[in-house]
Amino acid sequence: MFKLYLDPGHGGSDSGATGNGLQEKNIVLDIALRIRDILNNEYNNIEVNMSRTTDTYVSLDQRTNEANSWNADYFLSVHCNAFNGSAQGYEDYIYSGLSDSSPTAQYRDIMHDEIIAVNELTNRGKKKANFHVLRESFMSALLTENGFIDHSGDSAKLADATYRQQVARGHVNGLERAFNLEKSASDTLYKVIAGSFQDRENAEERVAYLDSNGIPSFLHETTITGDTWYRVQAGAYSSRSNAEERLTAVKELGIEDAYILEDQGESEVTGYAIAGSVVLSPQQMDQFVRTVNPDAPALGTYYLTFGQYYGLRGDVTFAQALHETDYFRFTGVVDEEQNNFAGIGATGPDNPGASFDTPEDGVLAHIQHLYAYASTESLPDQYPLVDPRFDLVERGSAVIWVDLNGKWAVPGDQYAQMILGLYENIVNTSIDQLQNILEQISI
């Protein structure tokens, strides 16, 4: 178990540095709380104890005495700087009595590199000082000075919640590398989304409102069908129950349209199974494709029905159909009249592949062809076999989507990644459209 004592500097009657309408005590508390939340939500075998979690005064002796009696493994003190309005940048400190080859200095070197990699500040270097928290702590200790609050450029960054999240992430990256922290086994993060806006100012107002009520949040910019959206994220958790607690707290502030977004991260692309349940409704599938192609056929019901029957992710299969047919515009070698939504048997202009009597049969063939790849079981007999190439597939050779790379599409080394990226766009668009409707209703 790694025990971190996390110390936001100053607090209460001690405001710390001030400048440009900001107080150090508030900025560093926010950054520290974000560090704590990232560690608690994304890592195993770690305990975080904080000198303060609210705007209260804590003496220097209280801070080090508590860390020492708790037997912390590391003492991390978070601060901002001030001088004359012209100084700027990031620097950090270890105790002046330590050598550059000490374990504390080695930890500091790693922390410094990881923080500088993300904080977009001038690098003022690695320094030493006789600060109380560095001298009196029994364990290795580091004090970070995250920009000059009285410098216009540094303070503009520090005033931005999204930037403070970035700084917190840099500290966590350093801790992970310095102490070999173990990330949670689950690749799924449950993100609490407290609003999605096309107007950045509206999103920033939502962030400010949440922060003023004790809920750290930040903006995440995303592009959906060519449009830029600003999501307000109020936490990300490896445990869904923790995400639901945060969601409840957000809704208690009057944000009724907040929701939880499951994010399986980069591993989703490498491990996303073909078998599984459908998330999207037929209406969401059909509505999405018609934002690109108003004349697209309504096939969502077929992909839902057949997907459920064969135990496959019919909505991801729908995304595959969009990729294969260019959103049912059929700009490749397959013609619309073929009802071949998966490019089954199509190898070029001289061989446009199979044809099916109806759109329903075309979807059924698509699902059956995918079933042949994903399963070694016999084909269930409720529907007739309409896929002419079912018996040509190596059964069970593609259990996850990326297994289709080089099989369904040749060479196709990014084939599944493109499908899953398109699927993510459909899901995100559906969520944001629903939230936008809810916002309009609440106005």
Side-chain angles (χ1 to χ4, degrees):
M1 179 68 69
F2 176 73
K3 298 172 70 173
L4 173 69
Y5 191 84
L6 185 55
D7 174 39
H10 310 282
S13 59
D14 177 11
S15 66
T18 60
N20 298 298
L22 303 178
Q23 293 183 314
E24 180 183 2
K25 65 175 184 177
N26 298 327
I27 295 296
V28 300
L29 175 60
D30 182 81
I31 292 172
L33 288 170
R34 294 171 187 273
I35 293 171
R36 180 199 65 182
D37 288 350
I38 295 171
L39 290 170
N40 285 339
N41 297 330
E42 298 181 20
Y43 293 83
N44 292 326
N45 301 318
I46 183 167
E47 289 185 37
V48 181
N49 192 358
M50 295 183 65
S51 60
R52 63 186 183 94
T53 57
T54 59
D55 183 18
T56 55
Y57 175 77
V58 182
S59 72
L60 295 178
D61 280 335
Q62 286 176 298
R63 297 170 197 250
T64 51
N65 287 345
E66 183 176 51
N68 292 337
S69 63
W70 187 54
N71 292 319
D73 294 306
Y74 195 58
F75 189 109
L76 177 59
S77 191
V78 182
H79 287 255
C80 296
N81 233 326
F83 184 56
N84 61 1
S86 61
Q88 64 183 111
Y90 170 84
E91 60 195 26
D92 45 40
Y93 292 84
I94 60 172
Y95 176 51
S96 55
L98 295 172
S99 72
D100 289 336
S101 60
S102 66
T104 297
Q106 293 174 24
Y107 295 144
R108 183 271 317 274
D109 291 345
I110 294 171
M111 294 288 295
H112 184 94
D113 290 346
E114 292 294 340
I115 294 169
I116 281 293
V118 301
N119 70 2
E120 304 171 4
L121 295 177
T122 301
N123 185 355
R124 295 172 59 88
K126 296 173 280 189
K127 303 183 178 183
K128 297 179 182 180
N130 189 29
F131 297 146
H132 175 96
V133 295
L134 303 179
R135 183 185 66 248
E136 300 300 325
S137 53
F138 295 167
M139 68 295 304
S140 292
L142 177 71
L143 186 147
T144 64
E145 292 278 9
N146 296 277
F148 282 73
I149 205 167
D150 60 346
H151 181 271
S152 59
D154 286 6
S155 65
K157 289 184 171 70
L158 291 167
D160 183 353
T162 301
Y163 176 77
R164 297 194 298 272
Q165 182 77 11
Q166 193 171 311
V167 171
R169 179 63 70 176
H171 284 68
V172 171
N173 291 345
L175 291 167
E176 178 185 346
R177 189 154 70 89
F179 297 99
N180 296 313
L181 300 185
E182 175 189 338
K183 282 208 164 186
S184 300
S186 173
D187 293 315
T188 300
L189 280 181
Y190 299 95
K191 298 181 178 180
V192 179
I193 306 301
S196 296
F197 305 85
Q198 288 190 288
D199 187 328
R200 186 185 180 94
E201 289 186 3
N202 291 340
E204 290 171 344
E205 289 179 5
R206 178 63 57 82
V207 168
Y209 176 67
L210 288 166
D211 283 357
S212 68
N213 284 277
I215 298 180
S217 60
F218 64 97
L219 295 188
H220 173 67
E221 182 177 327
T222 186
T223 301
I224 300 173
T225 61
D227 295 326
T228 299
W229 288 80
Y230 300 97
R231 284 197 182 125
V232 177
Q233 184 172 315
Y237 303 84
S238 57
S239 165
R240 186 176 183 93
S241 62
N242 290 341
E244 289 171 348
E245 287 182 13
R246 174 54 60 86
L247 179 65
T248 298
V250 169
K251 289 189 173 184
E252 287 175 349
L253 294 177
I255 304 174
E256 290 297 329
D257 51 357
Y259 61 93
I260 294 173
L261 176 64
E262 291 188 26
D263 184 354
Q264 293 177 306
E266 294 179 356
S267 62
E268 177 179 18
V269 174
T270 58
Y272 204 77
I274 291 174
S277 58
V278 176
V279 173
L280 296 167
S281 70
Q283 293 78 16
Q284 288 171 320
M285 294 184 236
D286 294 336
Q287 184 177 7
F288 175 83
V289 67
R290 285 175 179 168
T291 63
V292 179
N293 175 16
D295 298 322
L299 301 179
T301 296
Y302 297 141
Y303 277 99
L304 172 69
T305 302
F306 296 138
Q308 288 179 330
Y309 177 72
Y310 289 102
L312 306 183
R313 299 183 190 272
D315 45 4
V316 185
T317 313
F318 180 82
Q320 183 185 22
L322 299 190
H323 175 73
E324 288 283 348
T325 64
D326 188 19
Y327 295 86
F328 301 131
R329 291 181 294 201
F330 296 94
T331 55
V333 299
V334 178
D335 292 330
E336 181 177 2
E337 292 75 16
Q338 292 177 245
N339 292 315
N340 185 350
F341 309 117
I344 296 172
T347 58
D350 296 332
N351 184 15
S355 295
F356 304 97
D357 292 337
T358 64
E360 182 177 2
D361 283 348
V363 175
L364 180 59
H366 185 179
I367 295 289
Q368 289 177 343
H369 199 64
L370 194 59
Y371 182 86
Y373 275 107
S375 174
T376 57
E377 299 292 327
S378 299
L379 189 71
D381 58 6
Q382 179 173 333
Y383 301 102
L385 175 62
V386 294
D387 171 24
R389 300 183 64 83
F390 184 90
D391 293 327
L392 301 178
V393 172
E394 181 184 350
R395 300 298 309 281
S397 61
V399 177
I400 59 177
W401 282 92
V402 293
D403 288 343
L404 294 177
N405 293 352
K407 295 185 177 73
W408 201 293
V410 179
D413 57 350
Q414 289 294 308
Y415 178 72
Q417 285 86 335
M418 289 187 287
I419 292 170
L420 290 170
L422 179 54
Y423 173 66
E424 182 180 2
N425 275 347
I426 302 174
V427 172
N428 291 341
T429 299
S430 299
I431 291 172
D432 287 327
Q433 286 173 341
L434 175 60
Q435 183 168 358
N436 196 33
I437 292 169
L438 292 172
E439 287 177 351
Q440 295 298 321
I441 293 173
S442 65
I443 292 176

